[in-house]
Amino acid sequence: MYDPVRLAALVAVAEAGSITRAAGRLGYTAPALSQQLAKLEREAGAPLLVRHHRGARLTAAGEVLVARARRVLDEMERARHELALLNGLTGGRLRVGTFTTVGIHLLPPVLSAFRRAHPDVELAVTEYEPPRGVAAVAAGQVDLALTHAYEPAGAEPPPTGVFLEPLLVEELVLVTAPGHVLAEGSGRLAVAELADQPLISSAPAHPARRGVEGALREAGARPAVVCESPGYALVCALVSAGLGVAVVPEMVAAMDPAPLGVRLLEPAAFRRTISVAHRGDESGPAAQSLRALLRGGFGRGA
């Protein structure tokens, strides 16, 4: 059974004539959309697109699948609308909190699916660097918020009445400049190998990352540049320029446009868990519907 999100992506490319233009319409980045299309081609067992310098066109197999996909997506749209009427999701406002990484790479296609299912619900998205999104849920400023926790670190319990539902666990990986000696090899790199390596220290005062920073210092990595930024784009740019190495989430390493060397670490105890914070049974039907889409969308995004 084909994933409807990927079918919608293929239809969008067929209509736009370009992966880049289709990505803009769907709220994806072009690399993220290309990944979805590659997965769909594996499911179909045949090439669906021919890429060329002016864009992309469908193969014969792609033409067949797009024709069927349009019918399937139309039927799903009718079903979503009918269910929305039954569930009372014909109006109102859903306020969503997010942080940068998932706000760029994973959340937009989920919100697109929500909009298709519930076109009459107004969406409002606010960016919060964790753990501020959890506090915003507790204060009633947003209906739910995406947040994260790092290991090794001491996890802070959520406020009373707020629940954390894990959506995705990803490893933290070492990123280096291309051609760096630590980028050589395909196996896991022992954390002890970071001894005396110049480290791009990513927001060391950030509560979520304090434990990771401490573990890297214990391994002997020496701070070379302290990057007081909650985002990873600047960290990866400094690494790519050869100013040091850094430990970042897998998603960041995979999606960052800067050329990077990437190695998994041993032990594999450096992780980031992405969760959605919500108010449990007090959440309205719109928030519950989005949580269901987040569970499916983030599992596919991984």
Side-chain angles (χ1 to χ4, degrees):
M1 183 177 179
Y2 297 115
D3 183 277
V5 174
R6 294 176 194 146
L7 291 176
L10 182 64
V11 171
V13 174
E15 293 173 350
S18 160
I19 292 176
T20 301
R21 287 193 293 271
R25 294 179 185 179
L26 294 174
Y28 281 89
T29 62
L33 183 59
S34 294
Q35 287 185 353
Q36 295 289 339
L37 294 168
K39 291 175 183 177
L40 183 60
E41 287 183 320
R42 288 196 293 271
E43 291 174 351
L48 302 174
L49 292 168
V50 175
R51 282 81 166 170
H52 52 83
H53 68 281
R54 289 180 296 176
R57 62 176 176 82
L58 295 171
T59 63
E63 295 278 3
V64 170
L65 191 55
V66 163
R68 299 287 184 180
R70 285 193 172 109
R71 297 176 198 170
V72 169
L73 293 171
D74 285 345
E75 286 299 319
M76 290 184 67
E77 187 64 34
R78 293 191 187 97
R80 289 189 186 104
H81 185 67
E82 291 171 8
L83 289 172
L85 292 174
L86 291 174
N87 293 330
L89 289 173
T90 55
R93 190 169 188 240
L94 180 62
R95 301 162 303 166
V96 182
T98 187
F99 60 96
T100 303
T101 313
V102 297
I104 293 173
H105 298 301
L106 292 181
L107 183 60
V110 174
L111 291 181
S112 292
F114 181 89
R115 171 56 53 81
R116 290 194 299 272
H118 313 300
D120 298 326
V121 177
E122 180 186 348
L123 284 170
V125 180
T126 304
E127 187 172 1
Y128 295 98
E129 181 58 29
R132 292 196 300 117
V134 178
V137 173
Q141 296 169 347
V142 292
D143 300 297
L144 48 78
L146 292 159
T147 187
H148 58 51
Y150 283 71
E151 295 178 51
E156 292 289 331
T160 302
V162 177
F163 302 88
L164 295 179
E165 179 182 350
L167 298 170
L168 173 65
V169 179
E170 57 177 338
E171 286 192 48
L172 304 185
V173 298
L174 179 74
V175 289
T176 70
H180 192 284
V181 63
L182 293 184
E184 298 174 0
S186 57
R188 289 183 176 271
L189 181 74
V191 174
E193 294 294 317
L194 299 182
D196 296 324
Q197 284 293 328
L199 179 72
I200 308 298
S201 184
S202 176
H206 193 288
R209 300 182 202 171
R210 221 171 270 148
V212 174
E213 293 284 337
L216 293 173
R217 283 196 301 271
E218 289 177 10
R222 53 182 174 84
V225 178
V226 174
C227 183
E228 294 287 359
S229 170
Y232 281 112
L234 180 54
V235 171
C236 290
L238 296 174
V239 168
S240 184
L243 294 173
V245 302
V247 173
V248 304
E250 281 181 293
M251 189 191 314
V252 171
M255 299 296 187
D256 197 273
L260 297 168
V262 181
R263 287 287 297 274
L264 293 172
L265 294 171
E266 181 66 43
F270 293 83
R271 289 186 290 269
R272 179 172 76 166
T273 299
I274 297 172
S275 303
V276 58
H278 58 88
R279 291 191 293 273
D281 293 339
E282 294 183 13
S283 302
Q288 293 175 17
S289 176
L290 184 60
R291 280 168 51 200
L293 288 169
L294 286 168
R295 284 192 292 271
F298 276 41
R300 288 190 293 272

